[in-house]
Amino acid sequence: MIRFKQVFDFYIRSSIHVALSVYALVRMTHFMFRLPADEPMANFAFLGTIVGYNFVKYDALVRVKKKQMRNELKLIALLSFFSLVGVSYYFFQLQFVTQMVSVAFLVLTLLYTLPFFPNRKNARNWAGVKIYIVSLCWVGVTLALPLVNAHADLGADFYLKCIQRFILIFVLILIFEILDLANDDPHLKTVPQQIGAKRTKALGLLLLLPFYFLEFLKTNFIEKQLIVNLVLVVAISSFLLFANEKRSKYYTSFWVESIPIFWWLMVVFF
C-alpha cells in the first residue's frame, strides 16, 4: 500500500508544489493589475515550471545513470513528458510576443543547466550568480509574461512590482541557501557562504522593508493589500529567523515554497 509520505515526497520532488507557487504568483499578477483571469497563461507557467525545474534537477542524473533510474524518477520523467505536451499546447494559445519572451527565458533556463561554453560549468555553478538568475526567471514568468500577454501598459507600477517581486524571491532563496550552507559547494559563493548566516538573515529582513513600503508608491494602491503584505512579511521574517542547517528538508521544500500560495489565498479570501 502506498503510504502518504511517499505520495507527499513525490508531490515535492516532482516540482508540483513549486509549480503551484508559480501559478499563484501569476494569478496574483492578474489581480494586482486588475486583469481578467488568463488560464492559458497560468497553466503555461504551471506546467512550464514542472518541466523546467525537473530538467534542472534531474537532467544530469538521468543522463549519467539511465540504467539505474528508480521508479519514482521514472514517474517524474513521465509527469515531465505530459507536462511538456501540455505546455506546448498552451504555448500556442499565447500572444506571439509572449511566445518570444518565453523562449528567451527558456534559453536562460538552458544556460542555467547546460554547459554551453567549452571548459565552463553551467550558470548554476557560476560563483554568486544562481540567486540572481532564479529570481530574474521568476519575475519574468510570474509578472512580465502575464502582462505582456494581456497587452497591459508597462508603466511605473510594473517596474515597482518587478522590484518587489524580485526582492520576494531573493529573500525566499536566502532561506534555502541558509539551510544548504553545510552541503553547498564552497565555490558557489552563495550569500550565506560569503557573509554568514546571521548577516544573511539581517540582509533578508532589511530587504523586506522596501518590499513592503514600495506598495505605497503604486498608482493602483489597494489599502487591503497593505494588511495582506504585512502578514506576508511577518511570515517570511519568521521563516528567515528560524532557518538553520538542522531544519528538515520540508522546511523549505514545502513550507517556504508555500508562501506565494499563502499570499494568493489571502488575496482570494480577504
Side-chain angles (χ1 to χ4, degrees), residues 155-178:
D157 282 357
F158 166 71
Y159 296 105
L160 288 172
K161 182 53 68 179
C162 280
I163 296 171
Q164 209 175 29
R165 189 69 55 88
F166 186 91
I167 291 173
L168 172 66
I169 303 305
F170 190 92
V171 173
L172 294 182
I173 296 174
L174 288 180
I175 302 175
F176 278 82
E177 292 190 343
I178 291 172

Side-chain angles (χ1 to χ4, degrees), residues 217-246:
L217 302 179
K218 296 176 185 175
T219 55
N220 58 347
F221 181 82
I222 303 174
E223 289 186 6
K224 288 184 179 180
Q225 190 65 39
L226 292 176
I227 301 172
V228 169
N229 284 4
L230 181 60
V231 175
L232 182 74
V233 165
V234 171
I236 296 173
S237 299
S238 300
F239 278 112
L240 188 60
L241 289 171
F242 289 103
N244 61 64
E245 300 166 50
K246 297 180 181 179

Side-chain angles (χ1 to χ4, degrees), residues 97-194:
V97 64
T98 313
Q99 293 174 349
M100 294 300 98
V101 176
S102 65
V103 168
F105 284 107
L106 171 62
V107 171
L108 189 59
T109 302
L110 293 175
L111 179 66
Y112 179 76
T113 309
L114 302 175
F116 279 95
F117 306 106
N119 303 317
R120 293 278 185 176
K121 295 182 178 180
N122 56 34
R124 190 182 187 183
N125 294 307
W126 292 355
V129 170
K130 173 184 174 181
I131 191 169
Y132 301 101
I133 293 179
V134 175
S135 299
L136 181 62
C137 284
W138 275 67
V139 172
V141 172
T142 67
L143 185 62
L145 285 184
L147 294 178
V148 169
N149 199 58
H151 296 291
D153 179 32
L154 303 183
D157 282 357
F158 166 71
Y159 296 105
L160 288 172
K161 182 53 68 179
C162 280
I163 296 171
Q164 209 175 29
R165 189 69 55 88
F166 186 91
I167 291 173
L168 172 66
I169 303 305
F170 190 92
V171 173
L172 294 182
I173 296 174
L174 288 180
I175 302 175
F176 278 82
E177 292 190 343
I178 291 172
L179 265 70
D180 293 337
L181 191 54
N183 301 315
D184 277 339
D185 186 331
H187 294 94
L188 286 177
K189 293 185 178 179
T190 62
V191 176
Q193 286 175 341
Q194 295 184 75

